[in-house]
């Protein structure tokens, strides 16, 4: 999120902090000054997707081939200057950020409502000032970048922390993004993606050193400055009284400044007079109305402390909790190898108790793993509790995944890595390397989230995509989370955004076995076994998630992208009462469906290449709008195919498959013409009033 108002403060109040730089020239200097480190820029990809998406149409589901071309051009511009790019994506929503995530999602819902109101009133796409990125754009962007040969990393915790840590550890030339938190971390220089002129490789560099000079602070003050202004950990609502006190002590000098600017200056002035010590931090915690959690300020400070760094505000003997992601510290998978490491964990615990190993400060999220007695673990350990103080032998059954993550000394990794059961380890590796989708979070924490989609809350004919694809997800969860001896599965917590869901708590979703002929194979078979029979099992299990297991022979006869398209379109027809709603909404539903295909493909051991399930292989939002309108106008097949004879046979193959699948499932395809709509070029797409 960054610090509210800090970016504008630098631009308007202290423009000297913002320096226009030529990245090609900086790369040349970097080579001279750091001959052992080639120029690398770490890219906060989540900050960049709005910059990258420039195709004309965005409400219709996205113009994916044009978008892919944009990414290629972006990469080529940096390659020409000899600059390597490393892309980071958020791979998790940390529990401490959940409230802020919910707040943003509900705000996005309001923006989407305004977009549909505009479309219905003006019958055209809104201007760029109302732009929202096409649904699932970040998800497909990481697969796109990977397909273009780029190093693409999906984070195990908040991405900005990992971006800053990577920049520091690899002596990178800089960080490219749009998040003022990069000014707070003591890491590589911070470059603006919003100000980037790609053809000249010129952008703005924000100087944390100059910012400190303007504010009268040192670099060690910046984390406290950020926390006392409010961030993702310390809510602004708790700081109003403190700000008022600062404004009284430090009166407004320039009446032309905004209130936020005056708060920034007053807080900086207050901090500059506070001694940099842990005692001072404790005094501030006691002074602030932090409620029942007096560690908020401490945790906020610690969140900016990168590996190997120390702070005068934090005692040096406290291990950096931030190094352990609270989202990946437990395992849900039922593979029996997990119990082989029990004695090893006991040994590690004894070492910590005896002082032979430094205790590790962890937070254990709710535990879903059933141990052999069939008991579901639901214990939650509070942050800062050491294993040696609180872990029981029962809990150890569920703690195995906690050693998968970052480890400051490497000791825990060396001790246990060889014992980790293969499924979770592989899921983690594929997660980091952007090779799977959503699987690791489900296996490790029993939780999954999905952000906003461009859906019309007034459309009663098509439910939210979260509900449309839930039956498929329930089958996918069943494939991943094998049942206990009593046949019961652990629930999966879903944070899916759709109209009518207040997001006050996660929805608990029960896994349901897919109708796989001969029963559902376990993950060992799907992920590690080899041979033609296993390949058939993978394909059959994938299809069963969408109730198409009886259509395997027909689908295998099609090209892979066409087969994926048929799976998704047939599933939609089987799920929806009518397939005749507005193309904007339906295009979004289709794109979100592709992410469900990715999840199923990941769970079933990749019967398809991930690249074959990408939107640029099968979908274009603008073209979909035009063909949707033509079909409702009653155009002939020849008109729909634009007179191309080469398209006739593939079209008939797809149509034949879908009609056959619907007939097998006793489903009638219904359609009807619609009323007023959105105009795209010379075509008119229908929308009811």
């Amino acid at each position: 999120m960054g610090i509210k108002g800090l970016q504008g403060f630098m631009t308007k109040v202290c423009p000297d902090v913002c320096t226009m730089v030529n990245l090609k020239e900086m790369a040349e200097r970097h080579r001279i000054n750091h001959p052992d480190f080639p120029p690398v820029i770490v890219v906060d990809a989540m900050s960049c997707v709005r910059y990258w998406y420039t195709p004309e149409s965005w409400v219709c589901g996205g113009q994916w081939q044009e978008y892919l071309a944009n990414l290629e051009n972006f990469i080529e511009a940096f390659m020409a200057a000899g600059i390597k790019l490393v892309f980071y994506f958020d791979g998790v929503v940390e529990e401490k950020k959940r409230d802020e995530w919910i707040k943003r999602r509900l705000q996005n819902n309001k923006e989407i409502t305004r977009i549909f109101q505009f479309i219905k009133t003006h019958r055209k796409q809104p201007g760029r000032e109302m732009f929202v990125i096409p649904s699932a754009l970040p998800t497909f962007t990481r697969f796109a970048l990977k397909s273009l040969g780029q190093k693409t990393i999906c984070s195990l915790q908040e991405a900005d922390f990992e971006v800053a840590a990577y920049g520091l550890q690899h002596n990178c030339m800089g960080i490219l993004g749009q998040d003022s938190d990069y000014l707070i971390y003591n890491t590589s220089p911070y470059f603006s993606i919003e100000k980037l002129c790609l053809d000249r490789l010129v952008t703005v560099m924000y100087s944390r050193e100059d910012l400190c000079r303007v504010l009268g602070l040192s670099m060690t003050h910046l984390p406290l400055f950020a926390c006392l202004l409010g961030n993702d950990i310390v809510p602004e609502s708790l700081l109003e009284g403190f700000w008022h006190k600062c404004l009284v002590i430090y009166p407004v000098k320039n009446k032309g400044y905004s209130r936020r600017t005056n708060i920034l200056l007053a807080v900086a002035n207050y901090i500059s007079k506070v001694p940099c010590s842990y005692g001072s931090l404790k005094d501030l915690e006691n002074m602030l109305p932090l409620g029942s959690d007096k560690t908020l300020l401490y945790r906020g400070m610690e969140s900016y402390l990168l590996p190997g760094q120390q702070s005068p505000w934090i005692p040096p003997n406290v291990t950096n909790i931030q190094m352990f992601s609270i989202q990946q510290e437990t395992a849900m998978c039922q593979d029996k190898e997990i119990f082989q490491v029990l004695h090893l964990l006991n040994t590690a615990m004894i070492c910590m108790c005896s002082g032979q190993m430094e205790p590790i400060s962890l937070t254990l999220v709710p535990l879903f793993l059933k141990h052999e007695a069939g008991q579901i673990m639901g214990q939650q350990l509070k942050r800062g509790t050491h294993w040696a103080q609180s872990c029981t032998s029962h809990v150890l059954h569920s703690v195995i995944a906690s050693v998968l993550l970052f480890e400051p000394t490497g000791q825990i990794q060396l001790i246990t890595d060889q014992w980790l059961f293969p499924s979770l380890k592989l899921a983690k590796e594929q997660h980091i390397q952007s090779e799977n989708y959503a699987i690791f979070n489900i296996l490790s924490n029993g939780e999954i989230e999905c952000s906003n989609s461009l859906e019309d809350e007034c459309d009663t004919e098509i439910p939210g995509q979260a509900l449309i694809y839930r039956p498929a997800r329930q089958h996918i969860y069943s494939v991943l989370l094998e049942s206990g001896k009593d046949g019961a599965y652990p629930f999966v917590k879903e944070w899916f955004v759709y109209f009518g869901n207040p997001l006050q708590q996660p929805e608990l979703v029960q896994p349901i076995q897919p109708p796989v002929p001969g029963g559902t194979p376990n993950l060992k078979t799907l992920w590690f076994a080899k041979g033609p029979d296993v390949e058939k099992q993978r394909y059959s299990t994938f299809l069963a998630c969408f109730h198409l297991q009886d259509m395997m022979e027909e689908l295998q006869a099609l090209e892979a992208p066409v087969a994926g398209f048929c799976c998704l379109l047939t599933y939609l027809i089987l799920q929806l009462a009518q397939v005749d709603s507005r193309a904007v909404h339906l295009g979004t539903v289709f794109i979100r469906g592709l992410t469900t295909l990715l999840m199923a493909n990941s769970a079933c051991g990749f019967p398809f290449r991930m690249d074959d399930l990408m939107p640029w292989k099968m979908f274009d939002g603008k073209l979909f709008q035009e063909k949707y309108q033509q079909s409702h106008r009653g155009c002939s097949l020849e008109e729909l195919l634009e007179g191309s004879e080469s398209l006739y046979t593939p079209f008939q193959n797809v149509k034949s498959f879908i009609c056959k699948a619907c007939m097998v499932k006793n489903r009638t395809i219904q359609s009807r013409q619609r009323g007023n709509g959105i105009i795209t070029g010379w075509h008119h797409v229908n929308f009811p009033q």
Side-chain angles (χ1 to χ4, degrees):
M1 179 182 75
I3 295 86
K4 180 181 175 181
L6 183 55
Q7 207 90 42
F9 171 82
M10 292 185 296
T11 303
K12 297 174 183 176
V13 178
C14 46
D16 291 345
V17 174
C18 315
T19 306
M20 191 66 68
V21 294
N22 184 299
L23 296 178
K24 183 176 181 179
E25 294 175 359
M26 287 191 69
E28 292 169 355
R29 290 197 297 269
H30 184 91
R31 290 189 194 92
I32 295 171
N33 297 331
H34 307 282
D36 296 330
F37 295 92
V40 174
I41 291 180
V42 198
V43 182
D44 180 352
M46 300 297 285
S47 298
C48 298
V49 288
R50 292 179 66 89
Y51 175 90
W52 290 329
Y53 191 89
T54 59
E56 171 194 355
S57 175
W58 50 270
V59 298
C60 309
Q63 292 182 269
W64 293 94
Q65 290 189 355
E66 289 85 347
Y67 181 64
L68 192 63
N70 283 357
L71 295 178
E72 288 184 279
N73 293 337
F74 183 85
I75 293 165
E76 289 171 0
F78 283 89
M79 287 179 62
I83 300 171
K84 179 183 177 182
L85 301 175
V86 175
F87 297 88
Y88 265 89
F89 288 81
D90 276 317
V92 68
V93 176
E94 295 190 58
E95 197 60 35
K96 63 186 178 184
K97 304 290 183 73
R98 181 63 69 187
D99 288 345
E100 182 61 31
W101 184 87
I102 292 171
K103 180 181 176 182
R104 294 185 196 179
R105 301 291 76 78
L106 295 177
Q107 179 59 39
N108 290 157
N109 275 347
K110 297 177 182 178
E111 296 169 2
I112 290 171
T113 296
R114 288 195 291 270
I115 289 171
F116 276 98
Q117 289 172 345
F118 182 96
I119 291 172
K120 292 175 183 179
T121 301
H122 301 282
R123 297 192 300 162
K124 64 180 182 180
Q125 177 177 276
R128 192 75 180 186
E129 70 280 358
M130 295 181 70
F131 172 75
V132 297
I133 62 173
S135 300
L137 186 68
T139 296
F140 291 114
T141 301
R142 58 185 167 102
F143 287 105
L145 291 168
K146 191 168 183 67
S147 73
L148 294 172
Q150 299 304 293
K151 183 170 184 177
T152 307
I153 300 172
C154 195
S155 71
L156 290 169
Q157 59 193 112
E158 192 73 14
D160 58 2
F161 177 86
E162 292 194 24
V163 167
Y166 189 96
L168 177 67
Q169 292 170 343
H170 294 84
N171 199 13
C172 290
M173 172 182 151
I175 292 169
L176 183 64
Q178 206 65 40
D179 187 335
S180 54
D181 271 337
Y182 294 125
L183 277 165
I184 308 303
Y185 290 111
N186 188 0
T187 183
S188 305
Y190 163 38
F191 305 130
S192 168
I193 181 65
E194 286 186 357
K195 304 294 183 181
L196 176 64
C197 178
L198 187 62
D199 58 348
R200 295 188 294 125
L201 278 189
V202 171
T203 189
V204 167
M205 180 177 73
Y206 300 103
S207 168
R208 58 183 67 89
E209 292 81 7
D210 288 340
L211 177 64
C212 287
R213 176 181 51 78
V214 170
L215 296 174
L217 302 176
S218 67
M219 295 279 285
T220 56
H221 283 116
L222 288 179
L224 182 60
F225 179 64
C227 290
L228 292 179
L229 288 171
N231 57 17
D232 285 348
I233 297 177
V234 185
E236 292 184 14
S237 58
L238 299 180
L239 299 169
E240 284 287 349
F242 171 72
W243 295 342
H244 178 74
K245 178 179 179 179
C246 292
L247 288 169
V248 171
I249 298 173
Y250 183 77
V252 176
K253 291 185 177 180
N254 188 329
K255 294 184 179 180
Y257 288 162
S258 67
R259 181 174 183 270
R260 186 63 180 176
T261 294
N262 288 322
I263 289 173
L264 284 165
L265 293 170
V267 169
N269 180 70
Y270 182 92
I271 292 173
S272 67
K273 298 175 174 58
V274 176
C276 294
S277 68
Y278 180 58
S280 298
L281 186 67
K282 296 297 292 182
D283 290 340
L284 281 168
E285 286 180 337
N286 292 330
M287 182 186 72
L288 294 172
L290 299 179
S292 59
D293 189 355
K294 290 293 184 181
T295 67
L296 273 179
L297 194 56
Y298 175 89
R299 289 194 284 116
M301 293 283 291
E302 188 189 45
S303 69
Y304 292 109
L305 198 57
L306 300 177
Q309 293 182 339
Q310 293 185 343
S311 168
W313 304 98
I314 297 175
N317 61 333
V318 177
T319 304
N320 186 5
I321 299 174
Q322 177 74 2
M323 293 305 297
F324 296 87
S325 169
I326 65 173
Q327 292 286 335
Q328 284 85 35
E329 290 167 349
T330 59
M332 295 178 63
C333 193
Q334 288 297 112
D335 294 54
K336 291 183 179 178
E337 299 99 305
I338 188 171
F339 301 107
Q340 297 174 358
V341 303
L342 180 59
H343 72 281
L344 195 60
L345 284 174
N346 276 312
T347 302
M349 184 174 167
I350 292 169
C351 289
M352 287 186 281
C353 290
S354 63
Q356 298 175 37
M357 185 185 298
E358 183 181 1
I360 299 174
S361 208
L362 293 174
T363 296
L364 295 183
V365 296
L367 307 173
F368 290 87
L369 175 66
K370 299 179 184 180
H371 56 62
E372 287 178 306
Q375 178 182 2
I376 299 178
M377 301 302 296
Q379 184 177 1
Q380 192 173 33
L381 305 181
K382 294 182 179 178
R383 178 176 289 274
T385 304
H386 297 308
W387 278 8
Q389 296 172 331
S390 60
C391 281
T392 68
S393 60
H394 293 295
V395 175
L396 287 173
H397 284 270
S398 302
V399 189
I400 184 62
S402 64
V403 297
L404 279 168
L405 309 174
F406 300 99
E407 52 292 319
T409 64
Q411 290 174 303
I412 297 298
Q413 185 76 19
L414 292 172
I415 288 175
T416 62
D417 215 21
Q418 59 182 315
W419 293 93
L420 294 173
F421 62 93
S423 301
L424 186 60
K425 183 179 179 183
L426 179 61
K428 177 209 170 189
E429 292 170 353
Q430 292 175 343
H431 172 96
I432 294 171
Q433 296 167 13
S434 298
E435 293 174 351
N436 65 16
Y437 173 69
I439 299 305
F440 183 56
N441 292 345
I442 296 168
L443 282 173
S444 64
N445 193 41
E447 192 166 36
I448 183 174
E449 55 272 320
C450 180
S451 187
N452 304 78
S453 302
L454 202 58
E455 299 179 309
D456 184 5
E457 66 174 329
C458 298
D459 187 348
T460 59
E461 295 178 347
I462 296 184
Q465 62 85 19
L467 302 178
I468 291 173
Y469 296 112
R470 179 170 288 171
R473 292 197 304 276
Q474 288 178 288
H475 292 325
I476 296 168
Y477 301 154
S478 173
V479 173
L480 291 170
L481 309 173
E482 299 173 25
S483 63
K485 291 181 179 178
D486 59 355
Y489 291 90
F491 287 95
V492 174
K493 294 180 291 182
E494 287 193 347
W495 294 94
F496 275 61
V497 181
Y498 59 91
F499 286 103
N501 182 9
L503 295 174
Q504 294 176 353
Q505 58 189 12
E507 295 177 281
L508 301 181
V509 177
Q510 177 72 57
I512 297 176
Q513 277 197 343
V516 182
T520 307
N522 60 26
L523 290 189
K524 281 186 186 178
T525 300
L526 290 172
W527 291 12
F528 299 104
K530 296 181 180 180
D533 289 342
V534 176
E535 292 177 6
K536 183 177 179 180
Q537 281 184 299
R538 289 177 182 135
Y539 205 97
S540 176
T541 305
F542 174 90
L543 296 181
C545 291
F546 304 94
H547 288 250
L548 293 173
Q549 66 279 0
D550 298 330
M551 308 293 294
M552 185 162 69
E553 185 176 341
E554 291 87 346
L555 283 165
Q556 286 182 318
L558 302 172
E559 293 183 8
V562 178
F565 174 84
C566 287
C567 286
L568 183 51
L569 192 54
T570 305
Y571 178 86
L572 282 174
I573 292 173
L574 296 176
Q575 288 292 315
L576 300 178
Q578 308 244 348
V579 185
D580 60 358
S581 191
R582 290 166 297 290
V584 169
H585 191 158
L586 200 56
T588 293
V589 170
F590 183 87
I591 288 297
R592 283 296 187 193
L594 288 179
T595 66
T596 309
L597 292 186
L598 296 183
M599 191 190 307
N601 199 46
S602 301
C604 298
F606 302 101
F608 288 85
R609 294 188 315 126
M610 291 295 252
D611 192 48
D612 288 331
L613 302 178
M614 294 298 136
W616 47 88
K617 291 292 184 73
M618 62 181 79
F619 183 82
D620 180 275
K622 185 177 181 181
L623 183 63
F624 176 64
Q625 284 276 2
E626 294 173 354
K627 298 306 175 184
Y628 178 87
Q629 163 58 21
Q630 285 181 338
S631 64
H632 277 285
R633 251 194 358 245
C635 290
S636 66
L637 178 58
E638 184 179 8
E639 288 178 286
L640 288 173
L641 299 181
E642 300 176 2
S644 174
E645 294 183 3
S646 63
L647 294 177
Y648 182 79
T649 299
F651 175 85
Q652 290 295 350
N653 289 341
V654 171
K655 180 181 177 182
S656 175
F657 171 84
I658 292 172
C659 290
K660 181 178 179 180
C662 291
M663 183 176 63
V664 169
K665 301 295 182 180
N666 196 27
R667 185 72 174 191
T668 302
I669 302 177
Q670 298 177 334
S671 181
R672 68 171 184 267
Q673 291 188 328
R674 310 200 57 92
N676 295 323
I678 176 174
I679 297 173
T680 59
W682 298 104
H683 303 285
H684 181 269
V685 179
N686 302 308
F687 282 88
Q689 293 293 339

